[in-house]
Amino acid sequence: MENSSGKFSFRNILQYFFQGIIVIAPIAITIYVVVWLFNLVDNFLPDILFALFPKWMTAPDGSLRTIPGLGFLMVVIIVTIIGFISTSFFVSKILSFLNKVLEQTPGIKYIYSAVKDFLEAFGGNRKKFDKPVLVSVDAADTWRIGFITQHDVSQFGLEAHVAVYVPLSYALTGVVYFVPKEKIKPVNNMNGAEAMKFVISGGVTHLEENEHA
């Protein structure tokens, strides 16, 4: 009994470890990429501008002039351009090939797939958190704000159910529920971003009713 209990505890720790990676990875990778791009642009941008506009980029004391916020602006422009280019046919084929390679690489595929699905759920072509709903999962007259992530969960033996992701307040985590379709109410007077902000803030965020009038 002690050995089986020890194995069970180790399995739980391992599960929590990988769950922590899935939660942290999208945030950490996004921050890392943005900071890396900012530092990269901030390192060579002043030299380029000085070569093009030496008088304008020279401070009164003779040093190289710095422009606060310019590096951040350039990062935003570069990321936007990359997003635009990625929609072209040729580039999309290359990205599709790299996507398949990463998704088939042992070990990496789990983190990559989790990061990709998480980010696409918020802003990709397969956006999942754009239509908020009210879901009853506790008492009959108690409702939570959630987002339908799967309309068909028949693979779990639940024909008349949907998968609903319910975010938690003051956290970047949430819970997935399989609930009957009749326990779902669509929320039509707010978008996904407003609903997510309302939940994460613990319900203290003020919703502007006039914007949806």
Side-chain angles (χ1 to χ4, degrees):
M1 293 295 292
E2 292 182 0
N3 292 337
S4 61
S5 177
K7 291 181 180 179
F8 181 77
S9 298
F10 177 75
R11 190 184 303 117
N12 282 345
I13 293 173
L14 194 62
Q15 179 182 350
Y16 293 145
F17 174 78
F18 283 109
Q19 180 65 31
I21 289 178
I22 291 174
V23 172
I24 294 172
I27 304 170
I29 291 174
T30 302
I31 293 175
Y32 176 81
V33 170
V34 172
V35 171
W36 178 79
L37 277 175
F38 178 79
N39 289 333
L40 181 67
V41 172
D42 215 37
N43 285 334
F44 71 78
L45 185 60
D47 294 330
I48 293 177
L49 292 177
F50 179 77
L52 296 175
F53 313 102
K55 293 183 179 180
W56 183 55
M57 289 298 296
T58 302
D61 60 356
S63 62
L64 186 63
R65 186 189 301 273
T66 59
I67 305 175
L70 183 60
F72 176 78
L73 178 62
M74 289 302 300
V75 168
V76 172
I77 294 174
I78 290 172
V79 172
T80 304
I81 292 174
I82 291 174
F84 174 75
I85 294 175
S86 67
T87 60
S88 68
F89 177 79
F90 179 72
V91 176
S92 64
K93 289 297 181 182
I94 296 177
L95 293 177
S96 177
F97 172 75
L98 293 175
N99 178 60
K100 290 180 180 179
V101 171
L102 291 172
E103 287 186 340
Q104 295 175 2
T105 304
I108 295 177
K109 64 181 180 180
Y110 299 108
I111 298 176
Y112 175 75
S113 298
V115 172
K116 178 187 173 187
D117 292 343
F118 184 86
L119 294 177
E120 284 193 342
F122 279 99
N125 295 327
R126 297 185 298 169
K127 197 180 292 184
K128 294 290 186 180
F129 300 146
D130 58 341
K131 295 181 180 178
V133 295
L134 294 177
V135 54
S136 178
V137 293
D138 299 311
D141 295 324
T142 303
W143 299 86
R144 294 174 181 259
I145 295 179
F147 301 86
I148 297 178
T149 55
Q150 297 291 339
H151 289 273
D152 182 8
V153 292
S154 57
Q155 66 269 32
F156 293 96
L158 301 171
E159 298 295 336
H161 289 60
V162 294
V164 179
Y165 173 78
V166 177
L168 301 178
S169 298
Y170 300 106
L172 295 173
T173 58
V175 181
V176 175
Y177 294 96
F178 293 154
V179 296
K181 295 179 180 179
E182 61 268 18
K183 290 192 174 183
I184 300 293
K185 288 183 179 181
V187 178
N188 298 319
N189 61 339
M190 70 176 69
N191 57 38
E194 290 171 330
M196 184 69 76
K197 182 170 62 174
F198 182 80
V199 175
I200 293 178
S201 71
V204 300
T205 296
H206 178 68
L207 298 175
E208 297 291 341
E209 296 181 0
N210 294 334
E211 294 181 2
H212 308 284

